Amino acid sequence: MSGKKVIVIGSGAAALFLASALLPANNVTVITKKSKKNSNSAFAQGGIAASHLEGDSVAAHTEDTLYAGCGHNDGKLTAEIISEGKTIIHELLKNGFPFDRDGDGEYRLGKEGAHSFNRIFHAGGDATGRLLIDYLLENIQKGNQVKEYETAVDLLIEDGRCAGVITKDSGGRIKARRADHVVLAAGGCGSLFRYHTNDQTITGDGLSLAYRAGAELTDLEFTQFHPTLLVKNGVSYGLVSEAVRGEGGFLTDENGRGIMAGRHPLEDLAPRDVVSRVIHEEMIKGSRIYMDRSRIPHFETRFPTITGICRKAGISVNEDRIPVAPGMHFLMGGVLVNKWGETSVPDLYAIGETACTGFHGANRLASNSLLEALVFGKRAAEHINKKPAGRWNKKTDRPINAVYHVPEIPLHQLKERMTIDMSITRKKDRLKSLSDWLNTLPSQEINVKDITIEQLDCSHIWQVAKLMTSSALLREESRGAHFRSDFPETDNQWRGKQIIQSKHGTVIRQNEGIWKPWTVCS
Ligand code: SIN
């Protein structure tokens, strides 16, 4: 089956892999807010995880993923993704993607937090995402169009299905682009917080557009704060990959004390949520935290991107210590999808960080996100390829009259409140006060014709902040990246347990929030 019109919103790894896996007969348009190279995928340093070494296996990688995810993952789907991801990595290897090798021609596999084996394939040292995006752009189907500097401002919903996208280009022109299928691949929502690792274009658009369209969102409280952003004098310069700790880097306070000793059996390579929490606690006590890289030979060759980030921050190659602090990195929750990436709105798909597939659970295992992006890019493409063409008659265009609520406060104030109250540790009274504040902010109504892209970004950020805070209030337990200091005792009881019952916890639809408790079995 072929010949469908498909619109993909976003230009990261999930979007481009999907575009390359759709049959050539389809009419595919990739729409992206800025340049096609603006995405979170392009920033990925660590790499892509897949078992390769003798003794390692899909089962071991699955077990590590479930451990990191506090058992909140969908176990069956997790094993499937890891197995399919391994096949995709082998195809990339076969097709000549330049994963790094050592002098003997063997793949140089890195290690990151909570992995029991060295299994991180990387490229260009710490430039895996950038090289992957370049590779995918080169290999995109010839007929596919990539529209840069065009923003999706609303989804067209007709007869209960997604019939296309309303967009606005950099000249303010509005278009109604009709489609058989629309795929949201617009990343997560790093911009909700003061410090984050995301591309500047990532403002929760995919989540907000889906919510406006009536789709279900889930698990928005599971926000992964990466432990180590280079932060100097209050300015964030970028990510210091977990791979640095995999090569021997370790976290210290200003006196050189190793802060992870005695905090988790895996110490500096504990799951990300654990490491971020330890750093957060230390910083609250007044410590300054550093990544000590003195044990890593040839740092600048192995980590050229981080060396460049250090240089921008005025940290020379001779300095052993890099000042670090945690920052928002990845959203485990997102638009609720099934195993093909279909949302609860017919003909609307979500993939990559925008989606919640159930793979990452309550805390993502390092270097599992590009893996999921590729697997779900391919799965959604295969699903769309099989759908019959021409099911929908063209409708006469209706007037475009979308309206947005834009908060009348400077955006940095909103980020500041989110950073303080939706932080690495959370508490009911703070969340409640944040939620009340968010829900009563003065705002103006602006229609689609008049709204600027900056105002639209603010509107999305505000919408997602409200949904995330409601979700965090609903989940009265600590699990993975959602740590409630008023429910501290539940932390860690989940690790190593298999969990049955419903796949997702908090589900949010327009004007509705539901928490489905899980059942734990040992
Ligand atoms: C990192 O390199 O530390 C980030 C990799 C990831 O988020 O999986």
Side-chain angles (χ1 to χ4, degrees), residues 99-409:
F99 284 119
D100 294 336
R101 296 171 189 251
D102 64 18
D104 298 326
E106 297 294 334
Y107 291 107
R108 283 199 60 174
L109 300 177
K111 194 164 188 194
E112 295 182 7
H115 282 277
S116 53
F117 281 85
N118 281 51
R119 58 164 81 99
I120 318 297
F121 285 84
H122 50 85
D126 54 5
T128 315
R130 183 166 57 75
L131 294 181
L132 181 65
I133 292 299
D134 288 347
Y135 173 90
L136 294 175
L137 283 169
E138 263 170 39
N139 287 283
I140 201 164
Q141 303 273 4
K142 280 207 169 44
N144 292 352
Q145 298 186 61
V146 180
K147 299 280 181 199
E148 298 179 290
Y149 300 94
E150 187 166 328
T151 303
V153 297
D154 212 5
L155 298 172
L156 270 170
I157 303 297
E158 288 174 357
D159 303 328
R161 65 171 282 268
C162 184
V165 186
I166 312 286
T167 69
K168 196 163 193 176
D169 67 17
S170 50
R173 282 172 293 267
I174 295 171
K175 286 193 191 97
R177 290 184 174 275
R178 308 193 70 81
D180 293 287
H181 306 288
V182 173
V183 184
L184 292 168
C189 56
S191 304
L192 267 66
F193 296 86
R194 173 158 41 122
Y195 297 132
H196 64 83
T197 60
N198 289 191
D199 187 88
Q200 46 158 332
T201 56
I202 305 298
T203 51
D205 308 20
L207 307 162
S208 176
L209 293 174
Y211 182 73
R212 285 171 67 89
E216 287 182 344
L217 277 68
T218 190
D219 287 359
L220 297 181
E221 65 278 25
F222 293 119
T223 49
Q224 180 167 81
F225 291 86
H226 195 289
T228 55
L229 273 62
L230 195 170
V231 176
K232 192 176 159 187
N233 301 330
V235 178
S236 163
Y237 289 86
L239 181 67
V240 177
S241 174
E242 201 160 293
V244 172
R245 279 173 280 137
E247 299 278 338
F250 58 101
L251 293 160
T252 73
D253 65 10
E254 61 273 33
N255 301 315
R257 175 181 59 94
I259 61 164
M260 288 309 299
R263 301 304 299 265
H264 187 277
L266 295 170
E267 300 199 347
D268 286 276
L269 286 176
R272 232 169 237 182
D273 57 326
V274 176
V275 181
S276 287
R277 220 150 37 238
V278 172
I279 297 179
H280 184 69
E281 284 168 19
E282 290 285 341
M283 291 178 83
I284 284 175
K285 283 192 268 167
S287 301
R288 269 167 303 166
I289 304 302
Y290 296 88
M291 173 77 79
D292 188 315
R293 56 173 165 171
S294 58
R295 296 177 188 159
I296 308 176
H298 314 297
F299 185 91
E300 54 288 12
T301 332
R302 170 65 181 88
F303 297 109
T305 307
I306 301 170
T307 303
I309 290 170
C310 287
R311 199 175 297 124
K312 263 204 237 152
I315 298 166
S316 89
V317 285
N318 302 320
E319 286 178 68
D320 284 339
R321 301 196 318 179
I322 304 171
V324 290
M328 173 59 178
H329 184 55
F330 187 89
L331 181 67
M332 273 70 71
V335 185
L336 179 58
V337 296
N338 66 11
K339 63 191 238 182
W340 301 110
E342 290 181 293
T343 72
S344 55
V345 174
D347 295 319
L348 178 66
Y349 290 74
I351 54 175
E353 193 178 340
T354 307
C356 181
T357 63
F359 176 47
H360 302 305
N363 171 59
R364 175 171 67 80
L365 183 68
S367 287
N368 263 355
S369 54
L370 288 179
L371 193 78
E372 187 204 44
L374 297 175
V375 169
F376 266 83
K378 189 163 180 214
R379 279 186 173 209
E382 284 171 356
H383 199 252
I384 292 171
N385 284 338
K386 285 192 196 128
K387 288 239 175 123
R391 288 181 306 149
W392 302 104
N393 296 325
K394 280 229 160 53
K395 300 254 161 153
T396 46
D397 284 339
R398 298 178 185 174
I400 298 170
N401 51 12
V403 167
Y404 304 85
H405 296 272
V406 181
E408 289 185 304
I409 52 150

Side-chain angles (χ1 to χ4, degrees), residues 492-509:
N492 272 331
Q493 80 177 22
W494 315 110
R495 292 216 146 100
K497 305 244 170 127
Q498 279 302 320
I499 300 201
I500 53 166
Q501 254 201 14
S502 91
K503 201 168 57 151
H504 296 282
T506 49
V507 178
I508 295 242
R509 230 184 345 247

